[in-house]
Amino acid sequence: MQRALVLGAGIMGLSAAWALEAAGHAVSVVEAQEVPNPRGASVDEHRLIRHAYGAAAGYMRMVDEAYAAWDDLFAAIGERAYAETGVLALSDGANGEADWFAASRRALRGHALAAEDLRPDALEARFPWLRAAGVAEGFHMPRGGVLLARRIVAGLARHLRARGVAFHRARAVGVDPARASVTLSGGNTMAADMLVVAAGPWAPRLLPELAGRVTPSRQVVVYLEPPPAQREAWVRAPMVLDLSEAGGFYAVPPVAGTGLKIGDHRFSLRGDAEDPREATAEERDAILGLALPRLRDAGAYRVIEARACYYDVAEGERFVVEPLSGRCVVMSGFSGHGFKFGPVLGRAVAAALGDPARMAALPGWAAGDAQQRGDVAA
């Protein structure tokens, strides 16, 4: 039995710990805050999983593997913290065949995934909360849904503790990949046979290797209360992806007792993960300015809360999952869309540690290289 140390208890760190423990290793997890960490990139009500992925065909195909891994994780924790909603993608037609919408539709058809095309009048008839003025077209997919993020992180941490995984609340101030060790703020050092660094937006300050490659990015989400006449329709609504290059948004329906959430899909690429998480009125209004034109009776919606979280963003939204030594792997650069792949990435990292062939294939596969498949995630 080897000893494995995981730095970070968000979805990536916990998924790696889950896979490493299942492989027979003695696992310890270091996290600076309580678990779930309310300031962590993984901890909010929801995260989305869907096949629509623009031109990123590698990630679109990885979604199939992700669903299978989620089934195994839900079976392990004894809770299926997921709500199937389907996907509604919208386009203003401004960029023709060059935009995210058109690229997604082409890739989906090439992967034999059903997407029903909808014109503006059909959109308004089916989705009574939608104002289709300015929408050129849309498509709907029945497959896709909401991962209940906070519940997943809490349930996975409980499961790991019950399996004997040790959790240590401590702040890391340094990482030595060659020694698979972490230096803590009090001066103590923790070391193991293998180390996984999954420190989210804090990772660039711990690892010089990430400087210039991964950038913390302040992102704002707004929770809304729909008007009474539309609440029931929103409960049955799909996730909404209106990802215009000129300024689009996403919306998460109020499933499983959560709120209706909207956010900006663009990255601010500014701020520090230690900053306050309260959103300013300017940040809130910027998100509302993107979403409210798409909502019928927009003036009747009430803002419940606006808050900020931090992503770790890499160029091209390509995940950085790669060895820093023969004993250390970093998991970073998840750009807000990594949560859906947590369990499959955790398994891939656990399988690659100690297997040079898998380790060599891991970075390209995790970065969404459609050609770099192989037997990475065991």
Side-chain angles (χ1 to χ4, degrees):
M1 177 185 296
Q2 289 192 304
R3 296 171 300 132
L5 180 61
V6 177
L7 177 57
I11 190 59
M12 294 302 165
L14 293 181
S15 293
W18 171 62
L20 287 163
E21 190 281 328
H25 302 300
V27 182
S28 296
V29 177
V30 176
E31 169 57 55
Q33 301 293 331
E34 61 187 295
V35 182
N37 180 353
R39 296 171 64 81
S42 297
V43 181
D44 191 11
E45 297 286 0
H46 340 80
R47 290 292 185 267
L48 301 176
I49 182 168
R50 85 281 177 175
H51 284 92
Y53 240 99
Y59 288 130
M60 178 194 69
R61 293 170 185 164
M62 198 187 292
V63 171
D64 294 328
E65 300 168 64
Y67 270 118
W70 279 113
D71 286 342
D72 292 342
L73 188 144
F74 290 148
I77 69 174
E79 178 185 11
R80 188 169 180 79
Y82 172 75
E84 186 94 326
T85 64
V87 179
L88 175 62
L90 304 174
S91 172
D92 60 9
N95 293 306
E97 290 300 303
D99 66 1
W100 179 93
F101 178 94
S104 293
R105 188 163 55 187
R106 287 194 301 271
L108 292 168
R109 288 173 176 168
H111 199 51
L113 290 164
E116 178 189 3
D117 291 331
L118 295 169
R119 305 303 299 174
D121 56 345
L123 287 166
E124 287 199 343
R126 187 180 300 190
F127 307 110
W129 42 266
L130 178 65
R131 179 175 177 267
V135 175
E137 58 182 332
F139 67 72
H140 178 263
M141 298 182 66
R143 185 66 159 145
V146 178
L147 295 159
L148 302 171
R150 184 177 289 113
R151 283 169 52 182
I152 288 169
V153 171
L156 184 50
R158 285 194 302 270
H159 168 75
L160 292 173
R161 287 190 173 102
R163 297 283 299 175
V165 172
F167 281 74
H168 304 272
R169 184 167 177 175
R171 182 175 294 276
V173 296
V175 174
D176 187 336
R179 292 180 171 84
S181 68
V182 174
T183 302
L184 306 178
S185 58
N188 293 333
T189 298
M190 294 185 68
D193 299 302
M194 58 187 75
L195 170 64
V196 177
V197 180
W202 290 271
R205 66 174 61 191
L206 293 171
L207 294 169
E209 297 91 336
L210 295 182
R213 297 184 63 196
V214 176
T215 304
S217 184
R218 181 177 175 88
Q219 304 294 132
V220 174
V221 296
V222 178
Y223 281 85
L224 298 175
E225 180 182 349
Q230 294 178 7
R231 287 175 188 165
E232 185 60 31
W234 265 115
V235 170
R236 301 191 305 271
M239 71 174 81
V240 182
L241 305 175
D242 187 352
L243 306 187
S244 166
E245 293 297 326
F249 73 100
Y250 64 88
V252 186
V255 298
T258 66
L260 167 60
K261 182 173 77 178
I262 58 174
D264 187 347
H265 83 286
R266 300 168 301 178
F267 304 120
S268 75
L269 299 177
R270 62 177 178 84
D272 186 283
E274 293 296 325
D275 289 345
R277 299 309 173 91
E278 295 78 17
T280 67
E282 181 181 11
E283 289 174 322
R284 176 202 65 204
D285 291 346
I287 303 300
L288 293 175
L290 296 173
L292 291 183
R294 292 286 190 258
L295 303 182
R296 188 177 297 175
D297 301 326
Y301 283 76
R302 184 175 70 87
V303 175
I304 299 173
E305 181 184 12
R307 60 175 179 258
C309 65
Y310 275 82
Y311 293 164
D312 41 314
V313 177
E315 184 177 358
E317 301 182 54
R318 291 164 63 87
F319 304 155
V320 178
V321 182
E322 58 192 42
L324 299 180
S325 75
R327 302 167 59 190
C328 177
V329 172
V330 62
M331 305 178 73
S332 188
F334 295 109
S335 306
H337 73 105
F339 192 103
K340 68 176 68 66
F341 299 115
V344 73
L345 288 170
R347 282 180 163 173
V349 166
L353 282 162
D355 186 327
R358 282 183 171 146
M359 189 67 80
L362 179 64
W365 172 81
D369 186 343
Q371 304 303 314
Q372 182 66 72
R373 305 307 295 164
D375 187 16
V376 178

